[in-house]
């Protein structure tokens, strides 16, 4: 599938089993910058500039859903100037890249608490979601002001508000009321930047996904790194608690 007007010149490797849904914890911007004697803000800028390349490469492969962790509920605790820089960069990303993403058939969605996002950026996000809502080629979820535990609490509260009985609180009904709604759970979760933790990302939805941890910082995570993560995934054998099958294929 060719998603973009100008696909990467790097040939697409054949990936035997593609994940339907990939989630990415885009980490390491600050250390990327510090190792180059740049400000952390410069790291976030380089990270924001990397977004389209990575989205387009996953799209070229045919990944249906990409969920990007851009700002956590815990990230509000960072120095004010850094938080403000991230808000500005997110705003600029939408202003600059929305039309190209729309033209490429991408449906943008937001995960998390939009009410806690500064109004200028919240307006942009709502506009981007509205503008791209009928696109069908690929869904990109921007997790911005997202926290996994808060997601579960909100889902259970919504069920109670609807009058659900104890028996109606099930794994299926909780899943359906999470911010990811009807989307399938991620099959592959990538974390850049060297840490091996989930940091309150999709804690419910990631219960059975495969993990790919890489030391590469987010601004350096480009086309070859996307390809390598997908090739590695295709070699995994997912068993979901069952006995191994002998065909060696990831399901
Ligand atoms: C990820 O990079 C971006 C956000 C959390 C917003 P970091 O800013 O966490 O970079 P490191 O982990 O400090 O290198
Ligand atoms: C996770 O990165 C959040 C995002 C990438 C948006 P952090 O840098 O905030 O995570 P910790 O603090 O290392 O766990
Ligand atoms: Mg970090």
């Amino acid at each position: 599938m060719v998603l973009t007007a100008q696909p990467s010149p790097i040939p697409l490797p054949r990936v035997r089993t593609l994940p339907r849904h990939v989630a990415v914890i885009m980490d390491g911007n600050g250390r990327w910058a510090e190792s180059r004697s740049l400000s952390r803000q410069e790291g976030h800028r380089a990270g924001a500039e990397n977004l389209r390349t990575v989205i387009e490469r996953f799209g070229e492969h045919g990944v249906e859903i990409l969920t990007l962790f851009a700002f956590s509920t815990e990230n509000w605790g960072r120095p004010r100037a850094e938080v403000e820089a991230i808000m500005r960069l997110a705003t600029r990303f939408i202003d600059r890249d929305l039309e190209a993403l729309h033209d490429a058939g991408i449906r943008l969605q937001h995960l998390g608490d939009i009410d806690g996002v500064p109004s200028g950026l919240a307006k942009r996000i709502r506009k981007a979601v509205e503008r791209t809502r009928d696109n069908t080629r690929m869904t990109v979820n921007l997790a911005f002001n997202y926290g996994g535990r808060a997601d579960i609490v909100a889902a259970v509260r919504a069920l109670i508000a609807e009058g659900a009985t104890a028996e109606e609180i099930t794994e299926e009904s909780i899943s359906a009321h999470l911010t990811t709604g009807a989307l399938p759970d991620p099959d592959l979760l990538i974390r850049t930047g060297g840490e091996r933790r989930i940091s309150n990302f999709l804690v419910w939805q990631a219960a059975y996904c495969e993990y790919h941890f890489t030391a590469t910082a987010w601004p350096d995570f480009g086309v070859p790194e996307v390809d390598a993560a997908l090739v590695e995934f295709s070699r995994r054998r997912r068993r979901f608690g069952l006995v191994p099958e002998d065909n060696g294929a990831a399901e």
Side-chain angles (χ1 to χ4, degrees):
M1 178 184 75
V2 177
L3 174 64
T4 55
Q6 286 178 310
S8 163
I10 301 176
L12 210 60
R14 196 173 109 74
V15 178
R16 203 163 56 135
T17 310
L18 209 57
R20 271 187 84 187
H21 182 174
V22 177
V24 187
I25 301 177
M26 306 185 293
D27 195 24
N29 292 348
R31 283 163 287 156
W32 179 91
E34 282 155 14
S35 72
R36 287 162 176 76
S37 307
L38 299 169
S39 68
R40 292 182 58 88
Q41 273 96 318
E42 288 299 325
H44 295 308
R45 183 202 306 270
E49 282 170 7
N50 189 38
L51 275 166
R52 232 179 91 192
T53 306
V54 172
I55 292 170
E56 291 180 350
R57 189 60 167 185
F58 279 114
E60 268 190 83
H61 276 280
V63 167
E64 285 172 52
I65 304 151
L66 180 63
T67 298
L68 301 169
F69 201 10
F71 193 83
S72 74
T73 47
E74 290 75 22
N75 290 148
W76 292 111
R78 294 190 178 199
R80 195 172 149 176
E82 179 170 344
V83 170
E84 285 175 356
I86 293 169
M87 300 300 147
R88 271 198 309 277
L89 287 160
T91 306
R92 200 210 292 166
F93 164 71
I94 295 177
D95 286 346
R96 206 187 51 183
D97 291 333
L98 175 62
E99 282 313 303
L101 295 171
H102 178 58
D103 290 346
I106 289 167
R107 176 173 69 141
L108 277 173
Q109 295 194 328
H110 173 259
L111 302 188
D113 181 12
I114 191 83
D115 295 332
V117 174
S119 58
L121 175 57
K123 211 172 112 190
R124 266 15 173 258
I125 294 174
R126 289 197 177 96
K127 187 187 85 178
V129 170
E130 182 59 32
R131 174 110 179 92
T132 62
R133 60 182 296 165
D134 295 327
N135 292 340
T136 54
R137 203 164 254 174
M138 184 188 192
T139 297
V140 174
N141 299 310
L142 281 181
F144 201 98
N145 195 24
Y146 177 83
R149 289 185 171 181
D151 197 359
I152 298 168
V153 171
V156 175
R157 282 187 180 160
L159 276 162
I160 292 169
E162 288 169 15
T165 62
E167 291 71 33
E168 284 164 352
I169 310 243
T170 62
E171 294 191 13
E172 291 72 25
S173 68
I174 291 175
S175 289
H177 285 75
L178 294 169
T179 179
T180 36
L183 293 174
D185 287 340
D187 304 292
L188 171 64
L189 191 149
I190 298 169
R191 183 173 186 140
T192 64
E195 310 294 355
R196 292 168 181 246
R197 55 178 172 255
I198 194 165
S199 300
N200 199 22
F201 194 26
L202 304 162
V203 291
W204 175 284
Q205 297 92 328
Y208 242 116
C209 73
E210 298 293 321
Y211 289 83
H212 177 90
F213 295 108
T214 171
T216 305
W218 171 251
D220 288 333
F221 188 87
V223 166
E225 288 74 19
V226 170
D227 293 353
L230 291 178
V231 167
E232 196 212 305
F233 173 84
S234 76
R235 297 196 183 115
R236 302 266 183 100
R237 298 180 71 189
R238 304 180 78 189
R239 290 196 279 277
F240 299 104
L242 308 178
V243 289
E245 294 185 14
D246 59 6
N247 61 7
E251 287 297 311

